[in-house]
Amino acid sequence: MSMRHDPELDDVLQDKELLRLGELLSSAVRPEPPLDDAFQSELRRQLMHQAWEMGEGRPSWWKRAFAPPGMAWIGATAGLLLIASVVVYTTTHQSASSDVSYLSPIDGGSGIALQQPILVKFNQPMDHRTTEAAVQIAPATNVTYSWQINTLAVQPTSGNFAPNTQYQVTIGPGATTATGQHLPSAGTITFVTQPPAPPTPSPSPTPRAPASPTSLLTGERQLAPEGGGVSSPLQWSADSSTVYFVTVKGALEVVPAKGGDVTIIAPDGASSPVIAPAGDRLAYIRAGKIEILTFAAGTTAEVVVTPAATMVGWAKDKVVWATSDGLYAQGVNKPMQLAPLPTTGDVSVLSIASDGMHAVYRQDQKLFLLEIATAKSTQLGQASASFYGWSPSGTQLLYGGADHLVVSDTQGNNVSTLTSGEASWSSQDAILIGSDSDLFQVRPDGTSGTKLANGTYHLPVWAPNGTAFAFFRGGALWTASAPLLPPQPTVMELATTTFTKFMQARLKGQGGEAAIYLDANGKQAYSSGGLSLVISGEPHFTRFYVLTQQITSTQPDTARFVVRIVLTQGKLDVADFEETLTIIRDATTRQLLIDQATLGTRRDLGKGAAVVGVVVAAGSIQVAFDSDLDPGTVPDSVVLVDAKGKQVEATTTYANRTVTITGLELRPGAQYKLVVLPALRDVLGHNVASEYNLQLLGPAVKNQTGIVVKPPVSPSPSPSPSQNQSN
Amino acid sequence: MSDLLRDEEGDLVERAKQDPRQFGALYDRHFQQIYRFVYSRVREQTAAEDVTSEIFMKALKAMPRYQDTGRPFAAWLYQIAVNAIADRYRTLRPAQSIDDFHDLSVAGPALEDLAAHRDEIRRIWGLVEALPAQQKTALVLKFQEDMKIEDIAVAMGKTSGAVKLLIHRGVSRLRDEADALRPVE
């Protein structure tokens, strides 16, 4: 474990153990707290509003606007409410002798909502015609104007602004006051819009308040009296309403999970109870024979097998059992052996996977995984390991020793390691880990670990509903319910986290921090090929946004991000360039790291319409532009070509700055190229300065959420050039 | 902080003192840091937002009175933050376990070693939470916020010597509870 040494503490702590504790405290890394970007923007606006009041020493125009009759107008303009608390003072570049000025609440803002007007408040009555004529907005956008007293509201005709775009609204000197006085010079209001809303809300785990100061469990109760525990693993009914168990005296009993009387099914000699996957039957062994209780009929059938059965289970809804020499299932006329068991040592089968493909047995003190089709055995862990169950899909299993639990695949390979304890794997993919002192819940990959309670929780067994579980305490049977783990993040969410942390570190100029998110290939990419982790120089790096993101493979999990890096001079965005990042799940650590990076061409901004977002699905591609386009130029100017350069046949439509290409049948993983030709014109008649190309891949899998997502990544928090923390 | 950055911040602070409307640049620069600190203390998003709002509003209103002592501007913000959090703690307690607030999933060494390491970190930070308030604040600012002792002194309104004493006493107390630090078998 690497622990950071702080020389300043040498003088304070002196003692070796104190220093070690200090370094240990320093080594804990704070995770990113949940942060609502809207809160950050809104607080900034409130502060600027307050600052303006302080600077002017008078009540804000905002307060006055809210007073009747201004309130009536505001009520009619819902968009105003979004920015009601903000005022950033903007002056024209006026001479000292001129008193014509204006201000806009969104000037200099970032993360500005897409659906709101640009408000420009003048300090005196203006001539509407000349003022509207003096307004220029870039990128080219069709707008409408409305006035309320001295405030001009500029609203995009389409109803919303383009995402991830810096708007520059210039009011030229042609604007005149009602008395004919000109603005002395042009002034520009700038703001950056927020990313588009993701298509589906991202699950956000909310912190859970404990049910009590020491426990997150509910409904904890004792079911059966103390009786010295059980002799076989207990079983839940399929509807999670009852619990079956075998007492140390060999009685098979059942008790309602909500509490109630215990009912005896078999008074003695029973072992190995197991519920059928359909939940309609219960098999168990009694006196060497297999008994099958059918719940609906209330009848019990006997299956006499030779040699005597030692364990019974279900595979694909059929009874399977173990004897001293092998695993068996019922054949047409007689039992058929599925796989032989070792003939030496003390062998006992512990479990057969529900798909009938694997079994786990103990030979003397060692645990083995048996592949039934090949009869090949693989030892699991060290001697004295214990088996705790299969994953819901049957493709992984859980076993443990004294030191830790292991999640293994069905080849016996270690997939992850968890803290030690007695465990159970739920249908919801949560692992419950009990012990003499506490109870934890964790995901199979070791994430989302949560301590549920202090106390004794022996041999926990999840109910099929994934919330109730049974356990033993002091030899008695108990049940309780555990809260669900937060939703497991999707690959795209995990990749987005990696991407965001990587880019935020770069934005702060923290190359070392950014490098944490690179694997060996990624580090190589950033040490050559013109790529640089720290982007320095002028114009300077002020923000980034995702142009497009896709899951391109699931073996291994692979995501591809095209990020736009924006360079700013003064307060104006003047250039950008793209990087294409490939994020891959590392086979060993399971982390998603940046494996490949390529650099795109630097592009000057303000040279015609630009692509600001691309959403790829198997059957369609949406291309969002920052400008309103001349619709007549769209069909021949925005095209998709395949890897051979041949144009893909499709239908192209245009509305609200978005070109939609439909009728596609993109092949998973195949290469395509989106081409925007210079013939494309915006509504002001400006052509795109040069051809724009964007490499795309066919989505990995059809119809899976998260494969193609509109850029949900928050853009860089602020256009402020420096984010360095002081310390 | 480099001299260049400090000079740049000094300019920003001076401008904000003269004209509160320039405070936005300081807000942009320090918001994330302060919000993270506040969240780590109050552990609930809505509460963190409330306290962060209070801190920056107070800072804005107090800007004209801000005195440059040669320490980073952030130290002054932390001073406001420490007081705001203390005010809130008088009536409320953190909602979540300390376990959630120190990333215990660092990669690198063997997983079993890591697990033991994580357990120890978790337990120690759990004990920090139980320290007397002043010791706890000093330890959090030092070990979590990675602040220099002189900056902590500004944030806590104490001398550097007093901060050193608080840190020494706090860590010594953690050592004295070493039995409780041992991983549960």
Side-chain angles (χ1 to χ4, degrees):
Chain A
M1 248 63 62
S2 63
M3 294 198 287
R4 197 173 54 78
H5 175 70
D6 181 354
E8 200 178 45
L9 289 171
D10 290 345
D11 176 45
V12 178
L13 299 178
Q14 298 175 341
D15 178 86
K16 190 177 173 184
E17 176 61 8
L18 295 185
L19 284 168
R20 189 190 76 82
L21 287 173
E23 289 173 355
L24 202 60
L25 286 164
S26 298
S27 66
V29 180
R30 272 186 302 165
E32 286 297 323
L35 172 60
D36 185 346
D37 290 334
F39 161 70
Q40 187 176 354
S41 299
E42 181 59 23
L43 176 56
R44 191 183 200 283
R45 291 168 188 163
Q46 289 182 10
L47 287 164
M48 292 302 93
H49 182 201
Q50 179 69 33
W52 190 77
E53 285 187 4
M54 291 165 66
E56 293 297 302
R58 65 191 178 111
S60 71
W61 70 274
W62 202 259
K63 284 180 181 171
R64 285 180 274 120
F66 265 94
M71 191 66 204
W73 174 68
I74 287 179
T77 314
L80 285 174
L81 293 174
L82 298 171
I83 51 173
S85 57
V86 189
V87 172
V88 175
Y89 185 71
T90 302
T91 63
T92 60
H93 301 161
Q94 62 193 21
S95 65
S97 60
S98 171
D99 60 355
V100 185
S101 64
Y102 61 85
L103 55 90
S104 176
I106 58 175
D107 188 32
S110 59
I112 298 299
L114 303 181
Q115 294 178 316
Q116 67 175 62
I118 305 165
L119 297 181
V120 185
K121 179 173 174 60
F122 293 88
N123 66 343
Q124 56 187 284
M126 299 297 289
D127 179 80
H128 293 185
R129 185 184 61 78
T130 59
T131 304
E132 291 171 13
V135 174
Q136 292 182 322
I137 181 166
T141 306
N142 288 323
V143 296
T144 58
Y145 301 100
S146 58
W147 288 85
Q148 174 62 31
I149 312 177
N150 296 337
T151 297
L152 170 63
V154 184
Q155 180 82 43
T157 307
S158 64
N160 58 286
F161 292 111
N164 290 320
T165 299
Q166 184 186 59
Y167 279 85
Q168 299 170 11
V169 182
T170 301
I171 301 178
T176 60
T177 64
T179 59
Q181 184 184 2
H182 282 266
L183 278 177
S185 61
T188 300
I189 296 163
T190 63
F191 60 93
V192 177
T193 54
Q194 64 181 193
T200 52
S202 176
S204 53
T206 48
R208 288 169 296 187
S212 74
T214 56
S215 175
L216 292 172
L217 303 177
T218 55
E220 191 170 297
R221 65 169 63 86
Q222 183 176 337
L223 288 186
E226 299 192 22
V230 293
S231 61
S232 296
L234 57 82
Q235 290 284 303
W236 281 87
S237 63
D239 63 0
S240 304
S241 67
T242 50
V243 181
Y244 299 85
F245 60 98
V246 177
T247 67
V248 290
K249 295 178 180 175
L252 175 57
E253 299 179 350
V254 60
V255 62
K258 291 181 179 177
D261 294 338
V262 174
T263 304
I264 298 173
I265 296 176
D268 52 39
S271 65
S272 189
V274 58
I275 299 276
D280 58 341
R281 288 164 291 169
L282 171 68
Y284 57 94
I285 293 172
R286 194 172 182 208
K289 294 177 291 189
I290 298 170
E291 296 192 353
I292 302 172
L293 168 63
T294 302
F295 295 126
T299 56
T300 303
E302 279 189 3
V303 181
V304 180
V305 297
T306 306
T310 57
M311 175 267 173
V312 65
W314 295 90
K316 298 175 182 170
D317 216 32
K318 291 185 176 177
V319 172
V320 291
W321 66 90
T323 69
S324 57
D325 65 350
L327 296 175
Y328 291 85
Q330 195 68 44
V332 179
N333 299 314
K334 61 178 183 178
M336 61 178 181
Q337 189 182 61
L338 302 174
L341 289 169
T343 54
T344 59
D346 182 13
V347 176
S348 59
V349 176
L350 304 176
S351 179
I352 300 171
S354 59
D355 61 1
M357 304 293 284
H358 297 86
V360 171
Y361 67 90
R362 185 182 303 287
Q363 183 179 24
D364 298 325
Q365 297 302 311
K366 295 175 182 173
L367 200 62
F368 288 91
L369 174 65
L370 172 67
E371 187 177 55
I372 292 175
T374 61
K376 178 189 168 193
S377 290
T378 304
Q379 185 174 345
L380 298 172
Q382 305 298 314
S384 301
S386 300
F387 175 71
Y388 291 114
W390 306 91
S391 67
S393 63
T395 57
Q396 294 181 332
L397 59 123
L398 180 64
Y399 68 92
D403 299 331
H404 51 251
L405 294 168
V406 175
V407 175
S408 159
D409 64 18
T410 48
Q411 283 75 51
N413 299 312
N414 185 334
V415 175
S416 64
T417 305
L418 309 174
T419 189
S420 62
E422 297 167 345
S424 176
W425 197 326
S426 82
S427 59
Q428 305 300 312
D429 235 6
I431 292 176
L432 205 55
I433 304 173
S435 72
D436 280 327
S437 56
D438 49 32
L439 181 72
F440 278 87
Q441 187 176 214
V442 67
R443 290 202 183 286
D445 62 2
T447 61
S448 304
T450 309
K451 185 175 186 176
L452 298 176
N454 290 316
T456 301
Y457 295 87
H458 275 305
L459 295 170
V461 177
W462 281 112
N465 64 14
T467 57
F469 67 97
F471 62 96
F472 288 91
R473 177 181 291 161
L477 177 62
W478 290 65
T479 62
S481 290
L484 288 173
L485 282 171
Q488 194 152 24
T490 64
V491 172
M492 182 51 85
E493 288 171 332
L494 294 171
T496 298
T497 299
T498 296
F499 166 81
T500 305
K501 288 182 176 178
F502 174 68
M503 290 305 301
Q504 293 283 12
R506 295 176 73 192
L507 185 62
K508 293 174 185 170
Q510 298 170 344
E513 175 74 14
I516 292 171
Y517 305 102
L518 299 170
D519 66 11
N521 290 339
K523 286 174 181 160
Q524 177 67 26
Y526 276 95
S527 62
S528 60
L531 286 162
S532 176
L533 273 180
V534 177
I535 301 163
S536 54
E538 285 293 335
H540 54 281
F541 175 27
T542 54
R543 67 185 179 98
F544 64 88
Y545 63 90
V546 176
L547 189 68
T548 189
Q549 62 191 109
Q550 298 175 267
I551 295 291
T552 54
S553 175
T554 55
Q555 293 182 335
D557 290 326
T558 306
R560 179 176 179 272
F561 285 70
V562 179
V563 57
R564 222 10 102 74
I565 292 169
V566 180
L567 306 175
T568 302
Q569 186 100 49
K571 67 175 187 175
L572 302 182
D573 293 348
V574 295
D576 67 21
F577 61 92
E578 291 170 7
E579 288 182 6
T580 302
L581 309 177
T582 305
I583 301 177
I584 296 181
R585 190 186 290 279
D586 184 274
T588 306
T589 65
R590 309 297 296 161
Q591 286 181 301
L592 282 152
L593 297 172
I594 295 162
D595 181 73
Q596 296 167 38
T598 56
L599 179 65
T601 308
R602 179 168 159 147
R603 194 172 60 99
D604 290 334
L605 298 177
K607 308 277 186 182
V611 176
V612 291
V614 178
V615 180
V616 183
S620 66
I621 296 178
Q622 288 185 327
V623 186
F625 284 84
D626 63 354
S627 306
D628 282 318
L629 303 176
D630 176 351
T633 65
V634 168
D636 296 331
S637 305
V638 183
V639 296
L640 187 72
V641 298
D642 63 18
K644 295 177 181 174
K646 182 184 173 188
Q647 184 172 342
V648 178
E649 286 192 21
T651 303
T652 304
T653 56
Y654 170 73
N656 292 340
R657 284 188 298 275
T658 300
V659 176
T660 304
I661 306 172
T662 54
L664 300 172
E665 292 182 1
L666 301 183
R667 284 175 287 119
Q671 290 194 342
Y672 298 91
K673 184 166 67 176
L674 175 72
V675 180
V676 178
L677 297 166
L680 185 69
R681 280 199 300 270
D682 65 28
V683 286
L684 297 179
H686 298 138
N687 286 81
V688 174
S690 58
E691 179 177 313
Y692 172 73
N693 295 323
L694 178 64
Q695 300 292 336
L696 299 171
L697 295 176
V701 183
K702 290 181 181 177
N703 301 326
Q704 183 181 322
T705 301
I707 286 172
V708 181
V709 185
K710 278 187 179 182
V713 179
S714 297
S716 42
S718 144
S720 171
S722 173
Q723 295 287 322
N724 291 297
Q725 295 184 351
S726 57
N727 54 29
Chain B
M1 183 185 278
S2 69
D3 290 344
L4 190 64
L5 288 173
R6 182 157 296 173
D7 289 347
E8 183 183 315
E9 181 167 271
D11 289 344
L12 291 176
V13 169
E14 197 52 43
R15 271 187 278 166
K17 284 184 67 176
Q18 300 298 325
D19 180 355
R21 288 170 295 203
Q22 304 297 321
F23 186 74
L26 290 168
Y27 171 82
D28 293 338
R29 180 178 282 235
H30 295 291
F31 171 83
Q32 297 270 355
Q33 182 182 9
I34 296 300
Y35 177 79
R36 279 165 57 104
F37 170 65
V38 172
Y39 184 84
S40 77
R41 298 291 86 209
V42 302
R43 299 171 205 159
E44 201 276 313
Q45 187 172 355
T46 304
E49 290 175 353
D50 289 348
V51 175
T52 304
S53 300
E54 181 185 336
I55 291 164
F56 280 102
M57 276 295 175
K58 283 183 175 174
L60 171 64
K61 290 174 182 173
M63 270 313 291
R65 301 191 303 276
Y66 175 76
Q67 296 291 323
D68 186 356
T69 59
R71 304 311 307 170
F73 180 70
W76 185 64
L77 290 177
Y78 274 107
Q79 182 182 35
I80 300 171
V82 165
N83 291 332
I85 293 164
D87 288 345
R88 190 174 185 86
Y89 268 35
R90 288 191 183 103
T91 52
L92 296 172
R93 300 303 305 170
Q96 277 187 273
S97 155
I98 190 70
D99 296 9
D100 301 336
F101 296 95
H102 293 92
D103 189 353
L104 308 173
S105 57
V106 265
L111 287 170
E112 52 270 33
D113 295 340
L114 197 59
H117 185 65
R118 285 192 307 231
D119 282 348
E120 192 169 15
I121 291 174
R122 183 184 293 124
R123 291 194 181 93
I124 290 177
W125 273 106
L127 290 173
V128 170
E129 294 301 311
L131 289 175
Q134 296 278 320
Q135 290 178 17
K136 177 170 68 177
T137 300
L139 263 60
V140 166
L141 293 176
K142 182 65 203 168
F143 297 113
Q144 177 182 290
E145 299 303 302
D146 197 24
M147 289 172 69
K148 293 188 182 304
I149 285 173
E150 289 189 28
D151 297 341
I152 297 172
V154 172
M156 296 185 68
K158 294 184 178 298
T159 64
S160 294
V163 171
K164 288 179 181 178
L165 196 58
L166 284 170
I167 293 173
H168 187 271
R169 284 179 176 165
V171 179
S172 297
R173 190 156 169 169
L174 297 180
R175 180 196 56 191
D176 294 343
E177 299 185 26
D179 284 345
L181 300 179
R182 291 207 183 100
V184 176
E185 294 299 328

